[in-house]
Amino acid sequence: MSKLLLVTASPRYAGSHSRMLAREFLALATEHDSELDVVERDLFAEPPVELSNSMIHGFFNIPGDDQGAINAALSVSNRLTSELMSADTIVIATPMYNFNVPAPLKAWIDLVIRSGITFEKVADGQLRGLCSGKRILVLCAMGGRFAETRFNLVEPYFRLISEFIGVDQVEFLYLQGTSRQDSDLQQAVAQLRRDMLAFIQPPCVPA
């Protein structure tokens, strides 16, 4: 894990469980590798722009009336895709809102799923991901206990996205029941730290 992209997606700062998970992961990762190259992308401190006509023109090289606007819109996506493609590991810390991800995280995904950068066309109707060699870890906090239910749309969404762009591995860690009084969050976070370490330090495979 020499290059890490850490994406946070909560609108909350104080009291945010997903941001707490991001801090826990970063502390463990940098303790494991003091030379870890980390890029942090806070999607609420600097919200990604939503898709626009100018950006779509830029994505598909469609000439437009205002090439300056097209170039300006495209530069945002270029910066975000560069961060993604430069990383070996992408950690996404997000709350679950209405059973899926917050809007800025969806906007970020829309800007980094790019033909010719994160995936490519290899034949008519056939596509190939360009993100091999990368791992994604999704740290998801939720007020209820939905991880193993049909209400969890976060996991199938990221599994599909990861498969589409050719990511080698995608894993999910959940902090559930954050709004429930019967939840032992301290114990849950302790277990999540152990799970994070297992992701950071995968078992050695005998040669």
Side-chain angles (χ1 to χ4, degrees):
M1 192 198 303
S2 57
K3 293 185 178 180
L4 169 67
L5 172 61
L6 179 60
V7 180
T8 51
S10 175
R12 303 172 64 207
Y13 287 83
S16 168
H17 292 93
S18 65
R19 289 187 183 277
M20 177 270 293
L21 294 178
R23 292 192 299 271
E24 292 285 350
F25 183 91
L26 186 58
L28 292 171
T30 52
E31 181 179 352
H32 174 68
D33 182 358
S34 60
E35 298 182 356
L36 182 64
D37 184 359
V38 180
V39 172
E40 297 189 52
R41 171 58 54 190
D42 185 334
L43 299 180
F44 270 85
E46 189 177 355
V49 297
E50 296 182 358
L51 282 175
S52 65
N53 185 53
S54 294
M55 193 172 292
I56 292 173
H57 275 66
F59 284 178
F60 297 101
N61 296 314
I62 302 171
D65 294 334
D66 189 347
Q67 192 61 42
I70 293 174
N71 293 340
L74 197 58
S75 68
V76 178
S77 175
N78 289 343
R79 178 159 52 93
L80 297 178
T81 52
S82 177
E83 291 175 353
L84 175 68
M85 296 305 290
S86 296
D88 304 304
T89 301
I90 300 99
V91 174
I92 299 169
T94 180
M96 174 190 281
Y97 285 163
N98 298 316
F99 313 116
N100 212 323
V101 299
L105 180 51
K106 173 61 166 62
W108 177 81
I109 291 169
D110 287 341
L111 298 187
V112 299
I113 306 303
R114 287 272 305 276
S115 178
I117 299 179
T118 52
F119 74 95
E120 65 179 352
K121 297 179 180 180
V122 293
D124 187 26
Q126 297 184 15
L127 305 170
R128 177 172 61 198
L130 298 176
C131 294
S132 63
K134 301 184 187 301
R135 302 190 301 163
I136 291 178
L137 175 64
V138 179
L139 304 172
C140 183
M142 57 183 72
R145 299 185 182 279
F146 303 116
E148 303 298 327
T149 76
R150 64 187 178 88
F151 296 104
N152 178 7
L153 302 180
V154 173
E155 184 165 332
Y157 180 52
F158 273 109
R159 287 198 183 279
L160 180 60
I161 291 294
S162 300
E163 179 182 353
F164 182 72
I165 62 175
V167 170
D168 289 353
Q169 175 187 357
V170 57
E171 294 189 17
F172 299 83
L173 295 177
Y174 295 102
L175 181 61
Q176 301 189 72
T178 60
S179 64
R180 294 178 51 161
Q181 294 183 353
D182 63 346
S183 296
D184 187 344
L185 295 182
Q186 186 174 0
Q187 180 178 347
V189 171
Q191 179 58 55
L192 285 172
R193 289 194 193 100
R194 291 190 286 270
D195 295 336
M196 291 177 194
L197 276 174
F199 180 86
I200 293 167
Q201 302 173 305
C204 295
V205 178

